Amino acid sequence: AVYDHLCASQEGGVGLMLACCGAPAHWAGQKAMLASALAAWQEDWQALGAPPVIMACSSCAEVFRRNLPEVEQRFLWEVLAQTGLEPSAPPAGSLAMHDPCTTRHQPAAQQAVRAVVGKAGVELEELRLGRELTECCGYGGLMSTANPELGREVVSRRGAQSPLDFLAYCAVCRDRLAQVGKRALHALDLFFPLSGEADPAARPSPGWSQRRENRARLKAGLLRELWEEVVPEMEAHRDLKLVIAPEVEELLERRRILTEDLQKVIFQAERSGERLVHPRTGRFLASFRPYKAMFWVEYSPRGRGFEIHNAYGHRMTLRSEAP
């Protein structure tokens, strides 16, 4: 919806590039991986004639400012401030404004969001630690991966700074706040609401698997609708229907195991018959290494699908040595 709006409002049209800017590699200290990601992006950008770039993500913008200063960039909200964006009905009551940490030194970006949201009739409360003093949501620097407990503590503390619903303009920040039960909207929810979603502040965090599924669906939709390309057929393992209890979903989320990882294991086990069976419960245990990680899944047939009872993964390789 945002892309459609930009195409309709920007003279000469707007291209679309979806790729990683390399920020996670930068946070992990992987300089070669960062350089590779930026080089691939820069090659595509130059092939398009090196046009100005509209940045929807403040982390991407920060990475480009530091590493590709020759790229002329504009923050999405600075562009939206000039497009005559029509707001939907503003939420009742005030919202607490959360700035992502990558805008700490970008006052123009901070002000652009406030200007657009203000025109929508939204009353904003400034947090004590906002703008150049804003706090991290617990994701930056890969904190939530390197130290999940600390990351959760950081975002919980942030959410407790105001009883109001939060308004964020970083997708990760919004999802991180929602993950700890804090009601939070993304600023785009005010202008491009999802169909049938009456209360966007209550939208749960999507989790690893749903976020991956959303990306896959977005890519398929863009290929089909924008570029009229044939969408590749879904791999056979993704047809498997899984039943996963909430407590098991939480366990998988903590262990960073995707739904697709489970499907791959079960698909291989059912096709090959290579699985263990528990003599008392009748549950199956199977393993498969789809890439560098080995996944083990405990499951049982249920209707036309499979119920997941437990799963874990590791990157160890067991090797037998001849005596």
Side-chain angles (χ1 to χ4, degrees):
V2 177
Y3 179 65
D4 288 342
H5 176 78
L6 292 174
C7 286
S9 62
Q10 300 299 296
E11 185 176 351
V14 180
L16 180 63
M17 296 178 70
L18 298 175
C20 181
C21 68
H26 168 64
W27 293 332
Q30 298 290 334
K31 295 182 179 180
M33 191 178 295
L34 170 63
S36 176
L38 290 172
W41 184 92
Q42 193 171 26
E43 182 179 352
D44 290 340
W45 172 67
Q46 290 174 340
L48 292 172
V53 179
I54 299 174
M55 289 290 185
C57 170
S58 59
S59 293
C60 292
E62 181 67 13
V63 168
F64 278 51
R65 269 190 292 270
R66 290 176 177 270
N67 298 279
L68 296 177
E70 66 273 22
V71 176
E72 180 186 348
Q73 61 169 282
R74 299 175 65 194
F75 192 43
L76 173 64
W77 291 93
E78 294 174 307
V79 176
L80 294 179
Q82 303 171 356
T83 62
L85 189 63
E86 290 295 330
S88 60
S94 301
L95 299 174
M97 191 72 196
H98 168 78
D99 296 291
C101 58
T102 43
T103 64
R104 280 178 183 149
H105 308 297
Q106 302 300 323
Q110 299 164 6
Q111 190 53 40
V113 178
R114 287 165 171 79
V116 177
V117 171
K119 288 182 180 179
V122 178
E123 296 182 4
L124 296 176
E125 175 193 89
E126 294 290 346
L127 296 173
R128 182 176 62 85
L129 296 176
R131 295 186 183 263
E132 71 276 8
L133 298 177
T134 191
E135 287 191 313
C136 180
C137 69
Y139 184 83
L142 299 181
M143 185 193 306
S144 62
T145 298
N147 192 333
E149 291 185 5
L150 178 60
R152 191 174 185 86
E153 178 185 335
V154 166
V155 71
S156 297
R157 182 182 64 199
R158 179 62 169 172
Q161 291 185 7
S162 172
L164 299 177
D165 291 356
F166 272 37
L167 183 69
Y169 48 103
C170 167
V172 173
C173 288
R174 197 226 73 92
D175 289 347
R176 289 280 301 166
L177 287 161
Q179 195 173 29
V180 295
K182 181 64 182 181
R183 287 175 52 85
L185 300 91
H186 191 287
L188 291 175
D189 288 323
L190 301 174
F191 304 93
F192 305 96
L194 296 177
S195 177
E197 186 177 59
D199 186 8
R203 184 170 62 245
S205 178
W208 297 104
S209 290
Q210 187 59 51
R211 187 175 287 111
R212 182 182 177 88
E213 180 69 16
N214 290 344
R215 287 197 295 264
R217 290 182 182 275
L218 173 63
K219 178 181 178 180
L222 293 174
L223 287 172
R224 182 177 56 252
E225 297 165 15
L226 291 183
W227 293 288
E228 299 181 353
E229 295 184 18
V230 177
V231 179
E233 291 187 11
M234 188 170 64
E235 295 177 272
H237 66 264
R238 299 186 66 187
D239 284 331
L240 295 183
K241 305 299 181 184
L242 303 184
V243 178
I244 308 175
E247 61 272 17
V248 178
E249 280 190 345
E250 184 179 349
L251 177 70
L252 298 175
E253 183 74 9
R254 290 201 308 268
R255 293 177 176 175
R256 307 293 201 269
I257 297 176
L258 301 174
T259 299
E260 188 175 2
D261 296 330
L262 307 176
Q263 291 171 321
K264 288 179 179 178
V265 174
I266 297 174
F267 181 80
Q268 292 293 327
E270 292 296 305
R271 187 174 64 173
S272 66
E274 295 181 357
R275 60 195 182 186
L276 302 174
V277 59
H278 195 287
R280 182 171 56 83
T281 65
R283 294 178 179 179
F284 295 119
L285 179 65
S287 66
F288 180 58
R289 187 188 297 273
Y291 29 88
K292 292 184 178 180
M294 172 74 81
F295 295 99
W296 292 80
V297 181
E298 182 184 352
Y299 69 98
S300 59
R302 180 170 173 180
R304 295 185 178 182
F306 301 91
E307 182 175 1
I308 305 300
H309 304 288
N310 196 3
Y312 62 94
H314 62 76
R315 285 175 168 77
M316 295 183 294
T317 300
L318 303 179
R319 184 175 59 188
S320 60
E321 297 286 350

